[in-house]
Amino acid sequence: MKLAAIDIGSNAIRFQVSTVLDSSPTLLFKKLEYVRFPLRLGHDVFTTGRISDKSIGKFKKLMTAFKLLVDLYEVDDYMFCATSAMRESENGAELVHQVANELGVMIHIIDGNREAELINRAIHSFLTEKTYLHIDVGGGSTELNLYVKGKKIKTRSFKIGSVRVLERNDSPVMWEDMEHWVKEHIKKSFGKVTAVGTGGNISKIFELAKMKPGKTISRQKVKDIRDMIEGFSLEERIYKLQMNPDRADVIIPASRIYIQVMEWANASSILVPEVGLKDGIMMYLYEKNVSQKKIEF
């Protein structure tokens, strides 16, 4: 089975094609193609409330390219999902309508809860019976999910993201709301809390810390890496730390969000599974297609 996932975020747009290798009990998603394009829709939307004409032009070209790749790879199923920037833009729904008419592609504008639900599909296999606070920091929003004894008991999306914080479009009230939510829902009886971090910025911090996949990194180490990055200019981050230009400017505000939430939750370490929304979309498509095949059989 070949599947394609498209994650239309606030800072970048990600496209992936994977083939599913199902050798029970192991399920492997083997990556065939991955493209990350730096189209920062959040810059337009969080500043003016609309996606600009220039961004619309680029966006349509990108969707055309991705639709061609979907056809060329002859995928069995695919899904285009748009998050914070698209759902808050005045003209996002109209753009979705235009893309549907011109390309025959349906883009799903998903809310924060649906976004969290899809990402949770990807991280679930990394969790045990412990207490976890999952922190997913995007360009426009942060999703928090609380797991106790292997079950998700609380979830909430906040309008705080790396692009929003970078461009000072975040609200102090929302920060207070997030702090209150974390402190209200994490009880002492839950025991030690381990954070779980998803998003490109925490993955980059994890990489710079030279950690092995599947290991945890301490909150202090995250702070140390943040401080090290902050000591470099934007140009040095690109050339010496080999960051994409659209990662180099948002990684500091993003790290602030992870560190702050960890402090509120009294989480001294963070697990970084290096999966995200696109991986959750893949899981959803696989489960949908397998269940349909069983019914047909």
Side-chain angles (χ1 to χ4, degrees), residues 206-219:
F206 192 76
E207 180 192 314
L208 289 168
K210 295 182 170 61
M211 298 296 292
K212 290 180 181 176
K215 298 290 184 184
T216 58
I217 180 173
S218 71
R219 186 173 78 211

PDB file of all heavy atoms in Angstrom, residues 206-219:
ATOM      1  N   PHE A 206      17.022  18.287  19.491  1.00  0.00           N
ATOM      2  CA  PHE A 206      17.401  16.906  19.808  1.00  0.00           C
ATOM      3  C   PHE A 206      18.616  16.480  18.973  1.00  0.00           C
ATOM      4  O   PHE A 206      19.560  15.880  19.479  1.00  0.00           O
ATOM      5  CB  PHE A 206      16.203  15.998  19.508  1.00  0.00           C
ATOM      6  CG  PHE A 206      16.326  14.602  20.050  1.00  0.00           C
ATOM      7  CD1 PHE A 206      16.142  14.338  21.400  1.00  0.00           C
ATOM      8  CD2 PHE A 206      16.589  13.535  19.205  1.00  0.00           C
ATOM      9  CE1 PHE A 206      16.246  13.047  21.901  1.00  0.00           C
ATOM     10  CE2 PHE A 206      16.686  12.242  19.691  1.00  0.00           C
ATOM     11  CZ  PHE A 206      16.520  11.998  21.043  1.00  0.00           C
ATOM     12  N   GLU A 207      18.588  16.855  17.694  1.00  0.00           N
ATOM     13  CA  GLU A 207      19.693  16.533  16.779  1.00  0.00           C
ATOM     14  C   GLU A 207      20.982  17.250  17.213  1.00  0.00           C
ATOM     15  O   GLU A 207      22.063  16.657  17.232  1.00  0.00           O
ATOM     16  CB  GLU A 207      19.300  16.962  15.361  1.00  0.00           C
ATOM     17  CG  GLU A 207      20.339  16.710  14.287  1.00  0.00           C
ATOM     18  CD  GLU A 207      19.997  17.425  12.983  1.00  0.00           C
ATOM     19  OE1 GLU A 207      18.827  17.344  12.555  1.00  0.00           O
ATOM     20  OE2 GLU A 207      20.885  18.076  12.418  1.00  0.00           O
ATOM     21  N   LEU A 208      20.867  18.534  17.577  1.00  0.00           N
ATOM     22  CA  LEU A 208      22.033  19.307  18.000  1.00  0.00           C
ATOM     23  C   LEU A 208      22.608  18.793  19.329  1.00  0.00           C
ATOM     24  O   LEU A 208      23.792  18.961  19.611  1.00  0.00           O
ATOM     25  CB  LEU A 208      21.670  20.793  18.120  1.00  0.00           C
ATOM     26  CG  LEU A 208      21.412  21.527  16.791  1.00  0.00           C
ATOM     27  CD1 LEU A 208      20.789  22.884  17.043  1.00  0.00           C
ATOM     28  CD2 LEU A 208      22.704  21.676  15.984  1.00  0.00           C
ATOM     29  N   ALA A 209      21.749  18.151  20.125  1.00  0.00           N
ATOM     30  CA  ALA A 209      22.206  17.575  21.402  1.00  0.00           C
ATOM     31  C   ALA A 209      22.907  16.238  21.191  1.00  0.00           C
ATOM     32  O   ALA A 209      23.412  15.639  22.143  1.00  0.00           O
ATOM     33  CB  ALA A 209      21.022  17.401  22.347  1.00  0.00           C
ATOM     34  N   LYS A 210      22.907  15.780  19.905  1.00  0.00           N
ATOM     35  CA  LYS A 210      23.541  14.503  19.518  1.00  0.00           C
ATOM     36  C   LYS A 210      22.984  13.323  20.330  1.00  0.00           C
ATOM     37  O   LYS A 210      23.728  12.459  20.816  1.00  0.00           O
ATOM     38  CB  LYS A 210      25.058  14.589  19.671  1.00  0.00           C
ATOM     39  CG  LYS A 210      25.704  15.595  18.711  1.00  0.00           C
ATOM     40  CD  LYS A 210      27.215  15.617  18.852  1.00  0.00           C
ATOM     41  CE  LYS A 210      27.875  16.422  17.739  1.00  0.00           C
ATOM     42  NZ  LYS A 210      27.477  17.837  17.704  1.00  0.00           N
ATOM     43  N   MET A 211      21.659  13.322  20.452  1.00  0.00           N
ATOM     44  CA  MET A 211      20.989  12.246  21.178  1.00  0.00           C
ATOM     45  C   MET A 211      20.589  11.130  20.217  1.00  0.00           C
ATOM     46  O   MET A 211      20.314  11.372  19.049  1.00  0.00           O
ATOM     47  CB  MET A 211      19.737  12.787  21.877  1.00  0.00           C
ATOM     48  CG  MET A 211      20.012  13.858  22.910  1.00  0.00           C
ATOM     49  SD  MET A 211      20.976  13.275  24.315  1.00  0.00           S
ATOM     50  CE  MET A 211      19.800  12.174  25.095  1.00  0.00           C
ATOM     51  N   LYS A 212      20.522   9.896  20.740  1.00  0.00           N
ATOM     52  CA  LYS A 212      20.076   8.761  19.938  1.00  0.00           C
ATOM     53  C   LYS A 212      18.552   8.727  19.906  1.00  0.00           C
ATOM     54  O   LYS A 212      17.904   9.057  20.908  1.00  0.00           O
ATOM     55  CB  LYS A 212      20.609   7.454  20.533  1.00  0.00           C
ATOM     56  CG  LYS A 212      22.115   7.288  20.382  1.00  0.00           C
ATOM     57  CD  LYS A 212      22.587   5.986  20.981  1.00  0.00           C
ATOM     58  CE  LYS A 212      24.096   5.845  20.848  1.00  0.00           C
ATOM     59  NZ  LYS A 212      24.594   4.623  21.518  1.00  0.00           N
ATOM     60  N   PRO A 213      17.960   8.325  18.766  1.00  0.00           N
ATOM     61  CA  PRO A 213      16.495   8.254  18.661  1.00  0.00           C
ATOM     62  C   PRO A 213      15.891   7.388  19.769  1.00  0.00           C
ATOM     63  O   PRO A 213      16.472   6.357  20.145  1.00  0.00           O
ATOM     64  CB  PRO A 213      16.271   7.615  17.285  1.00  0.00           C
ATOM     65  CG  PRO A 213      17.499   7.933  16.510  1.00  0.00           C
ATOM     66  CD  PRO A 213      18.624   7.947  17.506  1.00  0.00           C
ATOM     67  N   GLY A 214      14.755   7.856  20.286  1.00  0.00           N
ATOM     68  CA  GLY A 214      14.062   7.099  21.322  1.00  0.00           C
ATOM     69  C   GLY A 214      14.513   7.419  22.742  1.00  0.00           C
ATOM     70  O   GLY A 214      13.935   6.933  23.707  1.00  0.00           O
ATOM     71  N   LYS A 215      15.562   8.244  22.884  1.00  0.00           N
ATOM     72  CA  LYS A 215      16.054   8.624  24.212  1.00  0.00           C
ATOM     73  C   LYS A 215      15.372   9.928  24.658  1.00  0.00           C
ATOM     74  O   LYS A 215      14.829  10.678  23.848  1.00  0.00           O
ATOM     75  CB  LYS A 215      17.566   8.843  24.183  1.00  0.00           C
ATOM     76  CG  LYS A 215      18.362   7.597  23.802  1.00  0.00           C
ATOM     77  CD  LYS A 215      18.302   6.549  24.893  1.00  0.00           C
ATOM     78  CE  LYS A 215      19.172   5.346  24.547  1.00  0.00           C
ATOM     79  NZ  LYS A 215      19.040   4.284  25.545  1.00  0.00           N
ATOM     80  N   THR A 216      15.446  10.203  25.963  1.00  0.00           N
ATOM     81  CA  THR A 216      14.927  11.473  26.477  1.00  0.00           C
ATOM     82  C   THR A 216      16.079  12.463  26.606  1.00  0.00           C
ATOM     83  O   THR A 216      17.238  12.076  26.714  1.00  0.00           O
ATOM     84  CB  THR A 216      14.248  11.297  27.851  1.00  0.00           C
ATOM     85  OG1 THR A 216      15.191  10.737  28.758  1.00  0.00           O
ATOM     86  CG2 THR A 216      13.021  10.412  27.750  1.00  0.00           C
ATOM     87  N   ILE A 217      15.722  13.732  26.613  1.00  0.00           N
ATOM     88  CA  ILE A 217      16.695  14.806  26.796  1.00  0.00           C
ATOM     89  C   ILE A 217      16.212  15.641  27.984  1.00  0.00           C
ATOM     90  O   ILE A 217      15.012  15.861  28.152  1.00  0.00           O
ATOM     91  CB  ILE A 217      16.819  15.641  25.494  1.00  0.00           C
ATOM     92  CG1 ILE A 217      17.822  16.781  25.639  1.00  0.00           C
ATOM     93  CG2 ILE A 217      15.492  16.157  25.013  1.00  0.00           C
ATOM     94  CD1 ILE A 217      18.082  17.524  24.315  1.00  0.00           C
ATOM     95  N   SER A 218      17.122  16.075  28.841  1.00  0.00           N
ATOM     96  CA  SER A 218      16.707  16.826  30.031  1.00  0.00           C
ATOM     97  C   SER A 218      16.282  18.245  29.664  1.00  0.00           C
ATOM     98  O   SER A 218      16.700  18.789  28.641  1.00  0.00           O
ATOM     99  CB  SER A 218      17.854  16.888  31.048  1.00  0.00           C
ATOM    100  OG  SER A 218      18.886  17.741  30.571  1.00  0.00           O
ATOM    101  N   ARG A 219      15.452  18.808  30.535  1.00  0.00           N
ATOM    102  CA  ARG A 219      15.002  20.195  30.326  1.00  0.00           C
ATOM    103  C   ARG A 219      16.201  21.139  30.346  1.00  0.00           C
ATOM    104  O   ARG A 219      16.259  22.081  29.552  1.00  0.00           O
ATOM    105  CB  ARG A 219      13.997  20.578  31.425  1.00  0.00           C
ATOM    106  CG  ARG A 219      13.356  21.951  31.236  1.00  0.00           C
ATOM    107  CD  ARG A 219      12.273  22.165  32.259  1.00  0.00           C
ATOM    108  NE  ARG A 219      12.788  22.505  33.566  1.00  0.00           N
ATOM    109  CZ  ARG A 219      12.203  22.185  34.721  1.00  0.00           C
ATOM    110  NH1 ARG A 219      11.092  21.479  34.727  1.00  0.00           N
ATOM    111  NH2 ARG A 219      12.725  22.557  35.867  1.00  0.00           N
TER     112      ARG A 219
END
